[in-house]
Amino acid sequence: MAKTGTMIAAVVMVTSCSASAGAGITSSPAAASVRCTRHVAGPRQMRSVRPGDVVCVDKAAAGRRLVITKGGTPGKPITYSGGGQAVGGITIEADNVIVDGYVMNRPEAPGVEMTGDNITLRNTTITRPHGGDGDGLRFFGDDLKILNNRISGTSNRYGHADCMQTFASDTPPSHNVLIEGNRCAGIDNMCLMAEGPNDGEGDGVGHTSDFTIRNNYCETLKASQNLMFEDVQNTVIDGNAFEGDPDKAIGLAIGSTGAHVGRHNTTGPKIRYLVGIDDSSRPGYEGPEPGGRP
């Protein structure tokens, strides 16, 4: 997928509007949805949406995918507020967007796909995505925030089903990504698979760098690690709870240099060691002594 900028049209399909106040990260994904300032009945009315609006679509379409192609400005993003409403998946192809408080049960995978700059996905629940590669979330772009979402039940019957994934093969590399306060539970493959453009499978264009992964819960059932980085530079990993049955919690490989692994990560009893690393990823590494290979 080619990277897209802010667009002038949108296709939006979702159920009724939220009237909830507040926009912070909370323990309940639907509870934090912000109050609507613009009600629209369908896609044609989206042409009138402006930067800073909080948009809700009143026409119910719970089984259909929410597609967003119109964003705001860096200082005034457009917020698409779900308030716990059900959709059949979400595709974001826009800059300067906040997507808040949606629920997906068995969406077509990936449950959410976000491509663009200055995108926030928060307070959203994705359960048992199906088809495709089985992923819960895929993301591509710069200045991305993935906050307080719940993703569960990804199944390898559809491929290599990660909670979250990014790669750089005909898709833009990602930079300045914050992944915080999320819960990935019952994940067959990895909670995060991050691949840069020079990992041997990418397109070799640019770099993927500057990820912060903190205060997340991550349960991996069948993969060899909870988090895997290949050709991703300058990651900060701290405060996470790693559970499940992998050999190690974190894998750093193929030039994933400059990783900082903090002291506040925890591992479940079946995980043998916290960090696995290869020689190409050793430069700039800070953290506990690795326990083996990635």
Side-chain angles (χ1 to χ4, degrees):
M1 178 185 296
K3 183 175 179 180
T4 58
T6 303
M7 308 294 287
I8 61 172
V11 178
V12 177
M13 292 164 285
V14 68
T15 58
S16 61
C17 169
S18 165
S20 300
I25 300 172
T26 72
S27 60
S28 176
S33 293
V34 293
R35 187 178 301 276
C36 304
T37 63
R38 180 68 62 90
H39 292 254
V40 297
R44 292 182 180 179
Q45 292 186 334
M46 295 305 299
R47 296 183 179 92
S48 65
V49 172
R50 295 290 182 263
D53 282 345
V54 179
V55 179
C56 295
V57 178
D58 295 330
K59 185 176 180 180
R64 304 179 68 180
R65 196 167 185 94
L66 167 68
V67 180
I68 298 169
T69 58
K70 184 168 184 181
T73 65
K76 293 183 177 181
I78 295 175
T79 299
Y80 295 86
S81 180
Q85 300 304 312
V87 291
I90 300 175
T91 299
I92 307 164
E93 294 180 344
D95 300 335
N96 307 310
V97 165
I98 298 170
V99 175
D100 179 272
Y102 291 94
V103 175
M104 285 148 270
N105 185 30
R106 288 191 54 78
E108 183 177 353
V112 174
E113 184 164 38
M114 45 195 281
T115 305
D117 297 340
N118 191 29
I119 300 173
T120 297
L121 175 72
R122 66 190 185 198
N123 304 322
T124 289
T125 298
I126 305 166
T127 304
R128 296 187 299 160
H130 71 280
D133 212 24
D135 293 334
L137 166 66
R138 287 184 177 177
F139 60 89
F140 312 97
D142 295 349
D143 301 313
L144 306 179
K145 296 180 177 65
I146 300 167
L147 309 175
N148 196 41
N149 304 288
R150 296 178 179 178
I151 303 173
S152 62
T154 69
S155 173
N156 280 348
R157 76 181 68 176
Y158 303 111
H160 296 86
D162 302 308
C163 181
M164 306 180 195
Q165 184 184 34
T166 190
F167 49 86
S169 178
D170 298 323
T171 50
S174 297
H175 311 95
N176 300 320
V177 178
L178 173 62
I179 300 174
E180 182 173 23
N182 303 281
R183 182 176 179 84
C184 295
I187 305 300
D188 267 4
N189 215 45
M190 287 166 277
C191 291
L192 174 62
M193 178 71 214
E195 300 170 278
N198 302 291
D199 73 335
E201 298 179 350
D203 57 19
V205 178
H207 300 278
T208 297
S209 67
D210 299 288
F211 285 32
T212 298
I213 299 98
R214 65 188 179 209
N215 301 333
N216 303 283
Y217 174 87
C218 170
E219 181 187 32
T220 289
L221 302 180
K222 297 182 179 180
S224 296
Q225 55 278 317
N226 299 84
L227 310 180
M228 187 68 202
F229 301 90
E230 296 181 351
D231 184 41
V232 179
Q233 292 78 50
N234 304 327
T235 60
V236 176
I237 306 166
D238 200 15
N240 303 286
F242 297 111
E243 296 290 343
D245 197 21
D247 296 329
K248 64 273 186 186
I250 302 163
L252 300 167
I254 315 179
S256 293
T257 57
H260 292 194
V261 178
R263 297 178 298 169
H264 302 105
N265 298 291
T266 63
T267 58
K270 295 184 179 181
I271 300 175
R272 292 170 48 210
Y273 52 95
L274 181 63
V275 178
I277 195 169
D278 67 5
D279 290 341
S280 72
S281 303
R282 287 272 185 174
Y285 172 77
E286 295 182 5
E289 182 62 28
R293 301 286 295 173

